[in-house]
Amino acid sequence: MFLTVERQTSPKAIPLDLFTAITDLKKELNTVILAHYYQDPDLQDIADYIGDSLGLSQAAASCQADTIVFLGVHFMAETAKILNPDKLVLLPDLNAGCSLADSCPPDRFAEFKAKHPDHLVISYINCSAEIKALSDIICTSSNAVAIVNQIPKDRPIIFAPDRNLGRYVMEQTGRDLLLWDGACMVHEIFSERKLVELKLNYPEADIIAHPECEANVLRHADYIGSTTGLLKYVQKSDRQEFIVVTESGVIHQMQKSTPFKKFIPAPPTSNCACNECPYMRLNTLEKVYLTMKNRSPEIILNEPIRQAALKPMLKMLEMSV
Ligand code: 13P
Ligand code: SF4
């Protein structure tokens, strides 16, 4: 029996012990909870699986549960639904969008694609189902270089929507990609000047960065990788200090797995907490509980779009083994 508090803002009764309540609902609904590393630490702690975008897609593709509760942003939950049309896919806050996905509206992208009919379209997974449906192959930050390397050298490629990841892939592969001009507001906010100053204070620290950052920041990095790549790097490294240039939520698993190492979040240009993704952080433990209790909000997709988006997703999974 839970003690409950009635909230003026919500007619629902919220149990005080949300961890226990969510664990009970998990069994009741035969649910798996998938969480991205950018979620609040307490949300990561209730998840069955925590991962980067590729790991989460693979977990969704092999999921046996009836219900998936996705702790991440909309395009991630949508991806889980693309792969699991018959499962109930729940996202605690439907407003958890993504500035990068928003920077690529489907109508404008369709026009852009039509101007380059000979190009293969490789889209970063941080995009809407409509953009996926217009793509030939999806990639994530952990497999973008490997996927582009598998395409014959004479085949021209459109890379969308992240210009920073696209430019990084161009450097790594030596290929000329036609880039869509999108970006992530969180990764564009890091200040090169402040990063250099921080490195002077921590000369022994390795700088580790996500490829969504701008080139002037990435040039200072000792290691560049996806969130899972960054986590594995700190686990294997002999270094004791790391300056982490990505959304600060990833530090939770770094600290848990290597408690004696020091992690310093890289500073944004202003004194805001802009290295926290405002969309990711819309999900809360209370919302997770209410979502599971009400079995809503649910991700619903237009079936022709889902089927068209599934093809490039399956292509990515096939090219990532
Ligand atoms: P990864 O999950 O591939 O590391 O990408 C991070 C990100 O920006 C997700 O929105
Ligand atoms: Fe989108 Fe950037 Fe947030 Fe990732 S960190 S979900 S790319 S806004």
Side-chain angles (χ1 to χ4, degrees):
M1 196 65 171
F2 297 116
L3 283 173
T4 57
V5 281
E6 291 294 333
R7 303 189 162 231
Q8 283 185 340
T9 50
S10 160
K12 309 285 181 206
I14 314 269
L16 289 181
D17 184 355
L18 285 166
F19 273 89
T20 308
I22 289 168
T23 307
D24 289 348
L25 280 170
K26 233 196 280 193
K27 285 184 212 136
E28 215 179 281
L29 297 177
N30 186 20
T31 297
V32 68
I33 301 186
L34 306 180
H36 191 269
Y37 292 117
Y38 293 166
Q39 291 291 282
D40 278 341
D42 53 358
L43 295 189
Q44 294 187 35
D45 290 346
I46 53 154
D48 299 299
Y49 176 84
I50 314 162
D52 67 359
S53 303
L54 178 62
L56 288 163
S57 302
Q58 288 165 332
S62 61
C63 172
Q64 297 298 317
D66 298 323
T67 304
I68 298 174
V69 175
F70 211 106
L71 307 186
V73 291
H74 194 274
F75 77 80
M76 295 179 170
E78 212 174 47
T79 304
K81 186 70 180 179
I82 291 168
L83 294 163
N84 293 283
D86 299 328
K87 294 191 199 302
L88 177 67
V89 178
L90 302 170
L91 178 67
D93 192 323
L94 286 183
N95 292 317
C98 169
S99 62
L100 178 53
D102 289 347
S103 68
C104 193
D107 51 344
R108 280 184 42 217
F109 188 67
E111 280 170 29
F112 177 71
K113 183 184 157 176
K115 284 185 192 147
H116 307 282
D118 55 333
H119 282 56
L120 188 81
V121 178
I122 302 185
S123 295
Y124 187 33
I125 199 163
N126 297 35
C127 64
S128 64
E130 287 81 1
I131 297 296
K132 288 185 176 76
L134 290 165
S135 307
D136 296 300
I137 311 171
I138 301 302
C139 70
T140 75
S141 63
S142 61
N143 61 18
V145 170
I147 284 183
V148 169
N149 273 333
Q150 290 175 59
I151 308 302
K153 291 241 178 312
D154 56 352
R155 184 79 202 264
I157 299 173
I158 288 177
F159 189 91
D162 188 17
R163 62 170 177 258
N164 291 317
L165 177 63
R167 189 210 51 249
Y168 172 73
V169 173
M170 281 169 69
E171 283 164 17
Q172 296 298 307
T173 61
R175 299 277 296 251
D176 192 19
L177 307 177
L178 183 57
L179 302 181
W180 180 263
D181 192 19
C184 157
M185 64 191 250
V186 179
H187 287 89
E188 288 231 303
I189 205 82
F190 294 109
S191 155
E192 182 186 14
R193 183 180 59 77
K194 288 189 182 177
L195 181 63
V196 171
E197 283 168 9
L198 195 61
K199 174 74 179 176
L200 291 175
N201 291 333
Y202 295 95
E204 295 304 316
D206 266 1
I207 296 178
I208 58 171
H210 195 280
E212 284 178 26
C213 296
E214 290 190 307
N216 65 344
V217 164
L218 287 185
R219 70 195 171 104
H220 299 282
D222 298 291
Y223 175 77
I224 297 168
S226 78
T227 43
T228 296
L230 300 177
L231 179 60
K232 285 190 179 154
Y233 181 82
V234 304
Q235 288 167 342
K236 283 195 197 132
S237 170
D238 295 335
R239 295 272 168 161
Q240 295 304 308
E241 294 177 337
F242 302 87
I243 297 173
V244 183
V245 200
T246 189
E247 215 278 6
S248 57
V250 74
I251 292 177
H252 182 55
Q253 296 304 323
M254 292 177 175
Q255 202 70 77
K256 267 177 103 168
S257 63
T258 53
F260 302 110
K261 294 189 177 181
K262 187 175 173 72
F263 302 100
I264 307 119
T269 32
S270 62
N271 292 327
C272 60
C274 318
N275 53 1
E276 285 185 5
C277 173
Y279 303 106
M280 288 275 182
R281 305 297 178 132
L282 282 177
N283 295 326
T284 64
L285 220 44
E286 283 188 3
K287 287 182 195 169
V288 175
Y289 168 76
L290 289 173
T291 296
M292 292 175 78
K293 190 142 184 60
N294 301 330
R295 298 166 69 82
S296 168
E298 175 188 359
I299 302 289
I300 296 172
L301 287 175
N302 163 297
E303 186 54 16
I305 298 270
R306 187 198 70 78
Q307 282 182 17
L310 180 62
K311 282 188 204 146
M313 274 301 301
L314 294 178
K315 192 88 190 139
M316 172 187 86
L317 294 172
E318 185 193 304
M319 291 174 85
S320 304
V321 286

